[in-house]
Amino acid sequence: MDLVGIYIREAFEGEGCPVCRTLQRFEEEEIGTILYEHVNDPAVREQFKASLGLCPYHAWRLFEVASSNPLYGGLGVAIIYEHMLRAYLESFDGGIVEGKCHLCFLVEEKERLTVTAIAERMDELLPVYRDSKAVLCKRHYELLLGELEKRNPAFVEQLKEIQREKLENLRKLLEGFIENSDYRSERGPSVEESRAIRRSIEALKGLPLGINITNFGAEAKGRRKGIRFGWKV
Ligand SMILES: [Zn+2]
Ligand SMILES: [Zn+2]
């Protein structure tokens, strides 16, 4: 398997949604690169300015990543947002247009590439997926299914079957958690049953990423019809 394939395979061997996990890592790396290398890069500054300092989700992620790592500290964020406030004040009376956040754009592009790469390697990834604790979230399961229908239709039914089994397994674990939470239960909920709570939310809603929060609604509707901002699924 090639390098991209190895990277994706690792995500499939883990727990949770392999696509969300890949995007979460990517997003954090991108934010790290901005803070570490590009705070004073004029091109990156212009990208920030176009959205007046990213979308609310990514602005707060930037702040969190900077605050949680002493390597970055607050200086980079201060420099960026001093510039953003200046830009805002310059056109304070005239109003300012907030364009699309470029981190949203980058993550969406990465999502598209990741789903395509998975669909192309489904023969190798499907057995890994079947045997692991990974569960594609609803959004990424649907995107992958759409991609498979175009590129690799032979795997559509197998993926559906595995996905249904995984979700049913999660449901049973939650049922076990509920039953064993009863005071008459001898053992109490197991670690696996307790972990199923978090895993179930991830399976239905994905990780708390911009793509799962910001784009919910109109885009999801478009996706069901097979139209998604120029990307046909
Ligand atoms: Zn996902
Ligand atoms: Zn964003």
Side-chain angles (χ1 to χ4, degrees):
M1 210 181 247
D2 58 309
L3 202 62
V4 175
I6 291 168
Y7 200 64
I8 292 171
R9 192 192 165 102
E10 268 176 28
F12 269 83
E13 285 167 347
E15 202 176 278
C17 173
V19 184
C20 280
R21 301 280 165 141
T22 302
L23 297 179
Q24 190 179 49
R25 203 156 119 181
F26 172 77
E27 188 175 86
E28 206 153 318
E29 282 166 4
E30 283 298 317
I31 290 174
T33 309
I34 290 168
L35 289 170
Y36 199 60
E37 293 170 26
H38 294 307
V39 165
N40 290 309
D41 183 331
V44 173
R45 278 305 184 78
E46 281 311 304
Q47 286 171 337
F48 267 87
K49 202 176 156 189
S51 58
L52 195 64
L54 306 171
C55 65
Y57 168 78
H58 279 122
W60 287 110
R61 275 300 289 148
L62 181 87
F63 180 71
E64 275 169 14
V65 172
S67 315
S68 62
N69 190 337
L71 190 69
Y72 306 132
L75 184 60
V77 185
I79 292 170
I80 292 167
Y81 283 89
E82 186 274 334
H83 182 203
M84 292 308 116
L85 276 178
R86 200 155 15 102
Y88 179 44
L89 285 166
E90 275 164 15
S91 53
F92 193 61
D93 289 325
I96 193 162
V97 180
E98 288 179 53
K100 187 172 169 102
C101 158
H102 76 276
L103 269 178
C104 277
F105 176 78
L106 286 179
V107 175
E108 279 172 25
E109 185 62 11
K110 178 74 177 177
E111 179 184 50
R112 190 180 67 77
L113 294 172
T114 304
V115 173
T116 305
I118 292 169
E120 282 169 352
R121 294 162 178 81
M122 210 61 230
D123 52 338
E124 292 169 75
L125 292 171
L126 211 56
V128 180
Y129 186 50
R130 189 189 52 221
D131 298 336
S132 80
K133 283 197 166 177
V135 183
L136 284 157
C137 71
K138 183 174 175 292
R139 172 187 172 93
H140 291 130
Y141 165 71
E142 287 172 3
L143 287 180
L144 180 58
L145 217 55
E147 220 29 43
L148 280 178
E149 275 161 9
K150 279 193 300 184
R151 293 169 190 272
N152 233 338
F155 292 104
V156 166
E157 286 310 314
Q158 290 179 58
L159 177 66
K160 273 188 191 173
E161 204 177 304
I162 292 172
Q163 185 73 1
R164 189 188 289 267
E165 255 172 50
K166 281 177 179 275
L167 295 174
E168 179 58 22
N169 184 37
L170 272 182
R171 195 201 59 75
K172 280 185 189 150
L173 285 169
L174 283 189
E175 199 173 55
F177 180 89
I178 296 162
E179 276 169 17
N180 291 311
S181 294
D182 192 281
Y183 69 95
R184 285 163 295 195
S185 162
E186 279 174 20
R187 65 168 169 90
S190 67
V191 174
E192 214 191 348
E193 286 164 351
S194 304
R195 286 185 70 83
I197 300 173
R198 200 203 137 91
R199 293 177 63 210
S200 301
I201 295 175
E202 187 172 340
L204 283 171
K205 302 294 162 191
L207 287 179
L209 292 166
I211 44 152
N212 292 328
I213 298 168
T214 322
N215 293 337
F216 195 74
E219 196 201 1
K221 234 188 225 168
R223 203 167 59 242
R224 275 197 292 277
K225 288 181 199 154
I227 313 151
R228 187 178 167 270
F229 293 146
W231 179 34
K232 289 183 187 151
V233 290

